[in-house]
Amino acid sequence: MGSREFSRGKRVVARLPFGGDLLAEIGAVADAHHMQTAEVRAIGALSEARLAFYDQTAKTYAEFAVEGQVELLALIGNVSRRDGATAVHVHATLCGHDGAALGGHVVPGCRVFACELVLQELVGEPLERALDEVTGLPLWRGL
Amino acid sequence: MGSREFSRGKRVVARLPFGGDLLAEIGAVADAHHMQTAEVRAIGALSEARLAFYDQTAKTYAEFAVEGQVELLALIGNVSRRDGATAVHVHATLCGHDGAALGGHVVPGCRVFACELVLQELVGEPLERALDEVTGLPLWRGL
Amino acid sequence: MGSREFSRGKRVVARLPFGGDLLAEIGAVADAHHMQTAEVRAIGALSEARLAFYDQTAKTYAEFAVEGQVELLALIGNVSRRDGATAVHVHATLCGHDGAALGGHVVPGCRVFACELVLQELVGEPLERALDEVTGLPLWRGL
């Protein structure tokens, strides 16, 4: 187990643009406010959604498209660094018109209908992702 | 896209009263602590629940009642202002006795069995909602 | 209704160990950083999961095992005190390979595949749990 203490930095509230790609827009807010490490929280609605499930045995993500319009019930995750670039890692819980919930790891292809986002910057040695051999995932190194 | 930086204000933890209306009780905590803009997070259980799904084409919310007692898995959202009043906008993820999850936009009619709430005040120019023509939703103006 | 203001303390980011028990590992991070009261947020994946649903009429938790590997879509909750010990109270929203979401109150038996955790310490008079007669739950006393 590894853990590290961070100082709090800027706290930014954003309204993401209609029609934007969820993942790209979060990264753009982080970059615009010069955040290297941050917590991500959001709610809203998506006109299209695309998610992924990680197969822990095969060590590969399987992507799938979500049918129809959805509410974004909870978007939780973080911004850190990978190969010198901003890496947004967020999981979404969604629901359709009957309320049934589904979710997954957010990949490109989630189209914003409306999204109210909060980014809480974490100031300290930036968290950097690197391949973790055990899981096959890009986890934080040095933690 | 618009985003704005806020200073952190008060952080309040509340235990909502048994039998209270979830949405009204959150607003009451925000008002009691004089918060105009805040982040909302909670978990708990509800004895009754009522949610809504936004039809992005018809631009109307369709409300539905949830059957039976539910766990409140995640309540995420914010407090801001609308027409001079406190406006609580939160999305709930719930589950029934078999664990199956459902969710939606929280409307009046969610009855608190138990609820552990955190409000994080955001200090700055208050976020005000106004009708957004593109989505038909009361979104933050000036963002 | 009761609510109390807290000062912010340490903010800690942790990568939980592969194979660890989710609930125990969160408690270990809180203890390692000497936190008595804290907010908990996490995403990740679990190789095994075990959850509970609270029957509000019988006033008992019914535990159930979750089939197969799951994504941890959202883990929300808190750390407080009960009988002088660290008490972690968190609700998890999970999904399987088809994205269908399920969730519940987290009990021992959730095995970490990967987990990115944030603990935000809340400084003030520690929140202590005690049996609440109305609900049958260990709720915060004095709130």
Side-chain angles (χ1 to χ4, degrees):
Chain A
M1 185 191 77
S3 59
R4 194 191 299 166
E5 201 176 321
F6 285 82
S7 305
R8 279 171 300 277
K10 296 182 282 285
R11 181 168 295 230
V12 166
V13 179
R15 170 181 161 182
L16 298 186
F18 177 86
D21 183 85
L22 181 62
L23 212 48
E25 296 296 346
I26 296 170
V29 175
D31 288 347
H33 291 271
H34 309 289
M35 296 182 180
Q36 300 222 305
T37 306
E39 276 196 89
V40 177
R41 292 183 281 276
I43 59 171
L46 304 173
S47 53
E48 297 174 33
R50 198 166 173 78
L51 300 171
F53 177 82
Y54 192 69
D55 182 322
Q56 300 172 15
T57 312
K59 295 185 180 174
T60 52
Y61 275 109
E63 290 191 20
F64 57 98
V66 174
E67 286 283 316
Q69 307 168 348
V70 289
E71 295 284 326
L72 178 55
L73 298 176
L75 186 82
I76 308 278
N78 52 67
V79 172
S80 59
R81 312 295 296 170
R82 185 178 179 187
D83 300 332
T86 301
V88 179
H89 180 212
V90 285
H91 284 188
T93 311
L94 310 175
C95 75
H97 68 278
D98 62 353
L102 74 167
H105 173 86
V106 176
V107 294
C110 289
R111 194 71 39 206
V112 173
F113 181 77
C115 186
E116 299 176 354
L117 172 75
V118 177
L119 291 187
Q120 169 63 59
E121 186 185 25
L122 300 171
V123 174
E125 189 190 336
L127 288 168
E128 297 266 358
R129 295 187 179 279
L131 181 66
D132 170 63
E133 298 290 348
V134 174
T135 60
L137 288 168
L139 300 182
W140 293 321
R141 73 176 159 214
L143 259 200
Chain B
M1 183 191 79
S3 59
R4 195 191 298 165
E5 202 176 321
F6 284 82
S7 303
R8 278 172 300 277
K10 296 183 282 285
R11 180 168 296 229
V12 166
V13 179
R15 169 181 161 183
L16 298 187
F18 177 86
D21 184 86
L22 181 62
L23 212 49
E25 296 296 346
I26 295 170
V29 176
D31 288 347
H33 291 271
H34 309 289
M35 295 183 180
Q36 300 222 305
T37 306
E39 277 195 90
V40 177
R41 291 182 281 277
I43 59 171
L46 305 174
S47 54
E48 297 173 33
R50 197 166 173 79
L51 300 171
F53 177 82
Y54 192 69
D55 182 321
Q56 300 171 16
T57 312
K59 295 186 179 174
T60 52
Y61 274 108
E63 290 191 20
F64 57 98
V66 174
E67 287 283 317
Q69 307 168 349
V70 289
E71 295 284 325
L72 177 54
L73 298 176
L75 186 82
I76 308 278
N78 51 68
V79 172
S80 59
R81 312 296 295 170
R82 185 178 179 186
D83 300 332
T86 301
V88 178
H89 181 211
V90 286
H91 284 188
T93 311
L94 311 174
C95 75
H97 68 278
D98 62 352
L102 74 168
H105 174 86
V106 176
V107 293
C110 289
R111 195 70 40 209
V112 172
F113 181 77
C115 186
E116 299 177 353
L117 172 76
V118 178
L119 292 187
Q120 168 62 57
E121 186 185 25
L122 300 172
V123 175
E125 189 190 336
L127 288 168
E128 297 266 359
R129 294 185 179 278
L131 180 67
D132 170 64
E133 297 289 349
V134 175
T135 60
L137 289 168
L139 300 182
W140 293 322
R141 72 175 160 215
L143 258 200
Chain C
M1 184 191 78
S3 59
R4 195 191 298 165
E5 201 175 320
F6 284 82
S7 304
R8 279 173 299 278
K10 296 182 282 285
R11 180 167 296 230
V12 166
V13 179
R15 170 180 160 182
L16 299 186
F18 177 86
D21 183 86
L22 181 62
L23 213 48
E25 296 295 346
I26 295 170
V29 176
D31 288 347
H33 291 270
H34 309 289
M35 295 182 181
Q36 299 221 306
T37 306
E39 276 195 272
V40 177
R41 291 183 280 277
I43 59 170
L46 305 174
S47 54
E48 297 174 34
R50 198 165 172 79
L51 300 171
F53 177 83
Y54 191 69
D55 183 320
Q56 300 171 16
T57 313
K59 296 185 179 174
T60 52
Y61 275 109
E63 290 192 20
F64 58 98
V66 174
E67 286 284 316
Q69 307 168 348
V70 289
E71 295 284 325
L72 178 55
L73 299 176
L75 186 81
I76 307 278
N78 52 67
V79 172
S80 59
R81 313 295 296 170
R82 186 178 179 187
D83 300 331
T86 302
V88 178
H89 180 210
V90 286
H91 284 187
T93 311
L94 310 175
C95 75
H97 68 279
D98 62 352
L102 74 167
H105 174 86
V106 175
V107 294
C110 289
R111 195 69 42 206
V112 172
F113 181 78
C115 186
E116 299 176 353
L117 172 75
V118 178
L119 292 186
Q120 169 62 59
E121 188 186 23
L122 299 171
V123 175
E125 189 190 338
L127 289 168
E128 297 266 358
R129 295 186 179 278
L131 181 66
D132 170 64
E133 298 290 348
V134 174
T135 60
L137 289 168
L139 300 182
W140 293 322
R141 73 175 159 215
L143 257 202

